[in-house]
Amino acid sequence: ELAGIAADRAAAAPRGVRGLLRALRPGSPLLPVAARVAVGAALAGWTSMALGVGRPYWAVVTAAAVFQANITLSWRRGLQRAVGNLAGLALFTVLLPTTRAGGLALVAAVMALQFCTEATMARNYWLGSVFVTPMALLMVELAALQPAGRLAAERWLDTCVGVAAGLLSCALVTNRRATGRIGAALARLDAATAGARALAAGAPEPLEAARARDRLASALVDVRDAVDVASGEWWQGALPAERVERAERDGHRALAALAPGRVPASRAA
């Protein structure tokens, strides 16, 4: 356990401004994602202000919520956000007669919606949006009652603007580095596999074998994550499917050879 903590600390990236600059250095796979967030959020805010919406930050938040690892996942998240907000507006309309009955009813409704949001958001995003939308609208009324029709119209308009701006920025800002990330991840996996095979051929110490397993497992996860991201992007070249399949197969075999209790190859011989 102590060795694992030490490895995590050694691999941890610097925090603060230094860590941010390191994460967004030229060639970083996070740079296109950051550019998409910046372009989409700014476009959503400016469009909402140009349309005269009183709360343009709703559009900015919606655009930021749309962004995912690739454009395919972003499209799905945008559709979930739009459908969930539309259903949430219907729920807000249904709750209005109750929440307008008094301050206690309004606070109770907000607390109930908060509970439902926390219970569903991590499991089903669009269902969580159904509850978070009326909660946000009712929290606006905690300060002063607002015209319900204007609130619902502004929320729906900001949702459409935010989703459209987010998806447009995903289409405009391409992520051509996604395929290159696969090559780097495969190189790390090949190195980890070779090291694991060398250890499995002898009689490694338990701590040394555990470290090799951690490196190999992390490399396998990185390769699969890189492939999933690149497969959902557009303007990409052909993915090295055969090389990925071969590297993952060899990596899993080497990982099995280092399993606790496995007889080393030298002793088996």
Side-chain angles (χ1 to χ4, degrees), residues 151-250:
L151 269 181
E154 288 184 349
R155 181 71 177 190
W156 179 240
L157 183 59
D158 278 339
T159 297
C160 295
V161 169
V163 170
L167 295 178
L168 180 61
S169 67
C170 287
L172 294 177
V173 182
T174 59
N175 188 5
R176 297 174 181 265
R177 296 184 177 93
T179 304
R181 184 186 169 199
I182 296 178
L186 284 173
R188 291 191 297 270
L189 177 57
D190 291 341
T193 301
R197 284 177 174 173
L199 281 177
E205 295 293 332
L207 183 58
E208 189 179 11
R211 289 174 176 173
R213 286 197 304 270
D214 291 342
R215 288 194 296 267
L216 184 52
S218 178
L220 285 167
V221 171
D222 288 343
V223 168
R224 179 46 43 193
D225 181 65
V227 172
D228 290 342
V229 170
S231 61
E233 285 290 347
W234 69 312
W235 289 104
Q236 296 291 326
L239 302 182
E242 294 183 2
R243 184 186 173 192
V244 169
E245 181 180 359
R246 182 172 60 254
E248 287 184 326
R249 182 184 64 244
D250 294 342

Side-chain angles (χ1 to χ4, degrees), residues 15 32 36 123 145 174 187 204:
R15 299 179 179 180
R36 285 177 175 177
R123 299 175 180 175
L145 295 181
T174 59

Side-chain angles (χ1 to χ4, degrees), residues 96-109 142 145:
L96 272 181
T98 302
T99 57
R100 294 290 175 92
L104 183 59
L106 178 59
V107 172
L142 289 175
L145 295 181

Side-chain angles (χ1 to χ4, degrees), residues 6-57:
D8 289 341
R9 289 179 177 176
R15 299 179 179 180
V17 177
R18 183 181 176 187
L20 178 62
L21 294 177
R22 179 178 176 180
L24 299 180
R25 67 187 183 277
S28 170
L30 295 179
L31 190 58
V33 180
R36 285 177 175 177
V37 174
V39 172
L43 182 61
W46 289 336
T47 303
S48 180
M49 292 175 64
L51 293 175
V53 180
R55 297 172 180 84
Y57 61 88

